[in-house]
mmCIF file of all heavy atoms in Angstrom:
data_model
loop_
_atom_site.group_PDB
_atom_site.id
_atom_site.type_symbol
_atom_site.label_atom_id
_atom_site.label_comp_id
_atom_site.label_asym_id
_atom_site.label_seq_id
_atom_site.Cartn_x
_atom_site.Cartn_y
_atom_site.Cartn_z
ATOM 1 N N VAL A 371 19.459 -0.033 11.636
ATOM 2 C CA VAL A 371 19.377 -1.169 10.719
ATOM 3 C C VAL A 371 17.943 -1.500 10.355
ATOM 4 O O VAL A 371 17.640 -1.611 9.143
ATOM 5 C CB VAL A 371 20.198 -2.308 11.260
ATOM 6 C CG1 VAL A 371 19.995 -3.544 10.365
ATOM 7 C CG2 VAL A 371 21.652 -1.985 11.374
ATOM 8 N N PRO A 372 17.048 -1.734 11.305
ATOM 9 C CA PRO A 372 15.665 -2.128 10.902
ATOM 10 C C PRO A 372 14.954 -1.075 10.028
ATOM 11 O O PRO A 372 14.293 -1.372 9.047
ATOM 12 C CB PRO A 372 14.912 -2.325 12.201
ATOM 13 C CG PRO A 372 15.987 -2.574 13.266
ATOM 14 C CD PRO A 372 17.154 -1.755 12.757
ATOM 15 N N GLY A 373 15.151 0.215 10.339
ATOM 16 C CA GLY A 373 14.558 1.238 9.534
ATOM 17 C C GLY A 373 15.160 1.279 8.116
ATOM 18 O O GLY A 373 14.432 1.526 7.169
ATOM 19 N N THR A 374 16.476 1.056 8.098
ATOM 20 C CA THR A 374 17.169 1.051 6.747
ATOM 21 C C THR A 374 16.640 -0.102 5.918
ATOM 22 O O THR A 374 16.459 0.071 4.693
ATOM 23 C CB THR A 374 18.690 0.941 7.005
ATOM 24 O OG1 THR A 374 19.099 2.012 7.807
ATOM 25 C CG2 THR A 374 19.442 0.954 5.643
ATOM 26 N N VAL A 375 16.334 -1.242 6.510
ATOM 27 C CA VAL A 375 15.797 -2.355 5.769
ATOM 28 C C VAL A 375 14.474 -2.027 5.121
ATOM 29 O O VAL A 375 14.242 -2.309 3.971
ATOM 30 C CB VAL A 375 15.705 -3.653 6.683
ATOM 31 C CG1 VAL A 375 14.924 -4.728 5.972
ATOM 32 C CG2 VAL A 375 17.099 -4.111 7.096
ATOM 33 N N ILE A 376 13.580 -1.404 5.895
ATOM 34 C CA ILE A 376 12.269 -0.955 5.294
ATOM 35 C C ILE A 376 12.425 0.036 4.209
ATOM 36 O O ILE A 376 11.876 -0.081 3.174
ATOM 37 C CB ILE A 376 11.379 -0.392 6.446
ATOM 38 C CG1 ILE A 376 10.916 -1.511 7.365
ATOM 39 C CG2 ILE A 376 10.179 0.330 5.846
ATOM 40 C CD1 ILE A 376 10.027 -1.053 8.559
ATOM 41 N N ILE A 377 13.298 0.997 4.465
ATOM 42 C CA ILE A 377 13.521 2.010 3.423
ATOM 43 C C ILE A 377 14.130 1.440 2.153
ATOM 44 O O ILE A 377 13.756 1.762 1.056
ATOM 45 C CB ILE A 377 14.348 3.157 3.995
ATOM 46 C CG1 ILE A 377 13.523 3.927 4.964
ATOM 47 C CG2 ILE A 377 14.933 4.083 2.858
ATOM 48 C CD1 ILE A 377 14.346 4.899 5.850
ATOM 49 N N ASN A 378 15.064 0.542 2.295
ATOM 50 C CA ASN A 378 15.668 -0.114 1.147
ATOM 51 C C ASN A 378 14.648 -0.923 0.368
ATOM 52 O O ASN A 378 14.638 -0.873 -0.850
ATOM 53 C CB ASN A 378 16.885 -1.013 1.638
ATOM 54 C CG ASN A 378 17.597 -1.559 0.451
ATOM 55 O OD1 ASN A 378 18.122 -0.801 -0.395
ATOM 56 N ND2 ASN A 378 17.775 -2.887 0.408
ATOM 57 N N ALA A 379 13.839 -1.645 1.071
ATOM 58 C CA ALA A 379 12.750 -2.391 0.446
ATOM 59 C C ALA A 379 11.809 -1.456 -0.335
ATOM 60 O O ALA A 379 11.395 -1.771 -1.493
ATOM 61 C CB ALA A 379 11.954 -3.224 1.454
ATOM 62 N N LEU A 380 11.450 -0.335 0.244
ATOM 63 C CA LEU A 380 10.576 0.666 -0.439
ATOM 64 C C LEU A 380 11.251 1.162 -1.708
ATOM 65 O O LEU A 380 10.638 1.287 -2.724
ATOM 66 C CB LEU A 380 10.236 1.761 0.484
ATOM 67 C CG LEU A 380 9.097 1.611 1.438
ATOM 68 C CD1 LEU A 380 9.002 2.801 2.451
ATOM 69 C CD2 LEU A 380 7.803 1.377 0.767
ATOM 70 N N LEU A 381 12.546 1.502 -1.581
ATOM 71 C CA LEU A 381 13.291 2.054 -2.763
ATOM 72 C C LEU A 381 13.338 1.080 -3.893
ATOM 73 O O LEU A 381 13.100 1.402 -5.045
ATOM 74 C CB LEU A 381 14.683 2.491 -2.311
ATOM 75 C CG LEU A 381 14.781 3.761 -1.538
ATOM 76 C CD1 LEU A 381 16.208 3.989 -0.990
ATOM 77 C CD2 LEU A 381 14.421 5.017 -2.419
ATOM 78 N N VAL A 382 13.596 -0.213 -3.554
ATOM 79 C CA VAL A 382 13.698 -1.263 -4.583
ATOM 80 C C VAL A 382 12.307 -1.427 -5.213
ATOM 81 O O VAL A 382 12.139 -1.494 -6.424
ATOM 82 C CB VAL A 382 14.221 -2.536 -3.963
ATOM 83 C CG1 VAL A 382 14.015 -3.719 -4.922
ATOM 84 C CG2 VAL A 382 15.661 -2.419 -3.576
ATOM 85 N N LYS A 383 11.248 -1.565 -4.439
ATOM 86 C CA LYS A 383 9.923 -1.738 -4.980
ATOM 87 C C LYS A 383 9.486 -0.575 -5.846
ATOM 88 O O LYS A 383 8.890 -0.725 -6.870
ATOM 89 C CB LYS A 383 8.874 -1.959 -3.793
ATOM 90 C CG LYS A 383 9.006 -3.285 -3.174
ATOM 91 C CD LYS A 383 8.498 -4.436 -4.009
ATOM 92 C CE LYS A 383 6.945 -4.483 -3.973
ATOM 93 N NZ LYS A 383 6.361 -5.572 -4.739
#
Side-chain angles (χ1 to χ4, degrees):
V371 175
T374 303
V375 170
I376 287 177
I377 289 168
N378 189 54
L380 278 173
L381 286 169
V382 169
K383 288 289 278 182

